[in-house]
Amino acid sequence: MLLWFVILYLMVSVGIGLFAATRVHNAKDFAVAGRSLPFPVVMATVFATWFGAESIFGISSTFLKDGLGGIVADPFGSSICLILAGILFSRYLYKLNILTLGDFYRMRFNRTVEVVTTLCIVISYLGWVAAQIKALGLLFFTVTNGGIGQVDGMMLGMALVLTYTVFGGMFSVAILDFVQMIVMLGGLLFIAIMVAGQVDGGAAAVIDHASAAGKFQFFPDADPWLWLTFIGTGVTMMFGSIPQQDVFQRVTSAKSAKIALWGSVAGASLYFVFTFVPMFIAYAGTLIDPAGLGSMVETEAELIVPTLVTTHMPLIAQVLFYGAVLSAIMSTASATLLAPSVTFAENILKGFSPHMGDHRFLWMMRIVLLGFSALVLAFALNSEASIYKMVENAYKITLAGAFMPLVAGILWKRATTQGALAAMFGGLVAWIMVELLIGAASPVPPQLIGLLVSALGMLAGSLLPQWVGHKTPGRPMHELQHLAAMETHHVAEHPHHH
């Protein structure tokens, strides 16, 4: 019975996604939904993109083991990231009327900076999307009682997400995110209420028990090395996720700069508050069944929530739960497949054929999407890391290589192309060297060293005599915005030329 509900839900989701695809007429529709999304949809798509597999399985299982201190990266770091990115992108980049972050790197610096940062951004998505696909495999395995193996489940999940993303792009993703957000919020809240009812003393007893067990201790002990690791983990997600195409795409798809800003802030706030619901469900589960579920904390913590729902909940709760989880994973997977594919097509491939027509470019984005999906599937099938770790590791490369050129390029007039190159290469080389030579034994997290070297590179490269790119100095933000405004005005006055 449950399986049929899940199949029906999947068919409806794909149907909605394909219906939304009828609105895609050009590359801009595909990449940023024609910059037409209203506030509720922007808020929903920011929330739904980030509320994925790790929010339900990963964060809750990490909280059971390590308490609040273990989840500093997500949801704490990621929520702050979404608010910061919303402010940065809506205030400075929205007016530029561009498709990708790579476009900004090219306009502000040069083609080399565009290509290297784009590659960093694309590579960072591998782990994140793979985590979603891994979770879909886990889900199909659980729903069918092992009838569909995890490997087959991953392949099936990828095929379903691809079906509507390839045709509908950002329109399908955004409209489905809105529908899926409602299913997620309703389903998980319903289960949290039911779970609380099965614990003596209700929700208050669960919170008191977690508090007594020390799960609410957020800050580490007074040891400088522990603090460094704590800060490094939080900063990786907080800053490393800012130069990400999916966040940029959501902000840029909004109807106006104001909607872009408040949609992002509202989505981030909802995300932060709502990640505590799966944590509550998982912790309550260990109290309802200490012998069964409680014994899974050390070895199979990611399976606690689905096992609790399958063994202790009525059919209606199971239907709502799997609907919510499928929504969470599919909305994140479709968005995180689309973002790197659009970036790669726009900022790497298009450079080799700059006069390509819009229709051809649209199809090129779709072909890249299929290729990237195959890569992700191979990565998901061969990775041993947990879902939470896969997501956390994804942002180290963008933190070391793409964060400084973006922030300095937006906020610092004197940032130059030479500074951006020094920041990129310095940060990446420092991070990779520390990771390879010292690895986990490094007292300072390797990605934090990469960030510091990147910042020094940006400062020194911009302030020292200019040897690289001195013939074409980086254009400051106000100049780029002025040029974009003139271009928009020209298109409005002479539409038949465009």
Side-chain angles (χ1 to χ4, degrees), residues 55-102:
S55 311
I56 295 175
F57 304 124
I59 295 177
S60 58
S61 60
T62 309
F63 172 74
L64 287 179
K65 290 185 218 165
D66 309 323
L68 281 185
I71 54 169
V72 56
D74 194 6
F76 291 92
S78 49
S79 303
I80 296 169
C81 150
L82 284 173
I83 291 169
L84 292 175
I87 293 166
L88 266 183
F89 296 160
S90 64
R91 182 161 292 176
Y92 299 102
L93 301 191
Y94 187 87
K95 294 175 191 164
L96 298 182
N97 201 3
I98 50 180
L99 286 186
T100 66
L101 273 178

Side-chain angles (χ1 to χ4, degrees), residues 467-484:
W467 300 100
V468 181
H470 58 285
K471 291 173 190 150
T472 52
R475 281 178 165 153
M477 275 307 296
H478 64 86
E479 201 178 308
L480 292 179
Q481 288 174 335
H482 178 65
L483 287 169

Side-chain angles (χ1 to χ4, degrees), residues 60-61 63-64 188-211 213 215-216 276-295 297 301 304-305 307-309 311-313:
S60 58
S61 60
F63 172 74
L64 287 179
L188 286 171
L189 281 174
F190 179 77
I191 284 161
I193 293 163
M194 290 209 55
V195 168
Q198 292 192 19
V199 178
D200 292 334
V206 178
I207 293 163
D208 291 342
H209 192 285
S211 179
K215 295 296 178 192
F216 294 154
F276 286 88
V277 177
M279 285 184 233
F280 173 82
I281 295 170
Y283 198 87
T286 62
L287 301 184
I288 291 169
D289 182 4
L293 297 173
S295 64
V297 172
I304 288 177
V305 177
T307 309
L308 166 72
V309 173
T311 53
H312 291 76
M313 295 278 139

Side-chain angles (χ1 to χ4, degrees), residues 309-365:
V309 173
T310 313
T311 53
H312 291 76
M313 295 278 139
L315 180 66
I316 178 69
Q318 294 180 33
V319 169
L320 284 170
F321 172 74
Y322 286 110
V325 176
L326 272 171
S327 294
I329 298 169
M330 284 168 69
S331 58
T332 304
S334 58
T336 46
L337 275 174
L338 180 67
S341 308
V342 167
T343 306
F344 190 79
E346 163 78 5
N347 300 111
I348 305 243
L349 297 182
K350 202 178 178 186
F352 297 110
S353 179
H355 303 298
M356 184 188 306
D358 190 81
H359 189 68
R360 227 178 107 206
F361 179 53
L362 176 59
W363 278 101
M364 186 170 78
M365 283 198 266

Side-chain angles (χ1 to χ4, degrees), residues 81 105 117 120-121 123-124 228-229 231-244 392-407 423-432 435 444-455:
C81 150
Y105 288 114
T117 48
C120 287
I121 290 167
I123 292 165
S124 76
L228 258 177
T229 307
I231 292 165
T233 309
V235 163
T236 302
M237 199 76 156
M238 198 186 301
F239 293 161
S241 319
I242 289 178
Q244 287 290 356
E392 202 185 302
N393 290 338
Y395 301 107
K396 292 178 178 177
I397 186 168
T398 40
L399 182 72
F403 176 71
M404 267 303 150
L406 177 70
V407 174
M424 266 178 355
F425 291 116
L428 288 171
V429 169
W431 164 63
I432 291 166
E435 199 80 71
V444 182
Q447 69 274 20
L448 212 52
I449 295 172
L451 177 65
L452 292 171
V453 172
S454 182

Side-chain angles (χ1 to χ4, degrees), residues 154-165:
M154 287 188 213
M155 291 177 171
L156 176 63
M158 178 63 94
L160 286 166
V161 172
L162 262 181
T163 307
Y164 61 85
T165 313

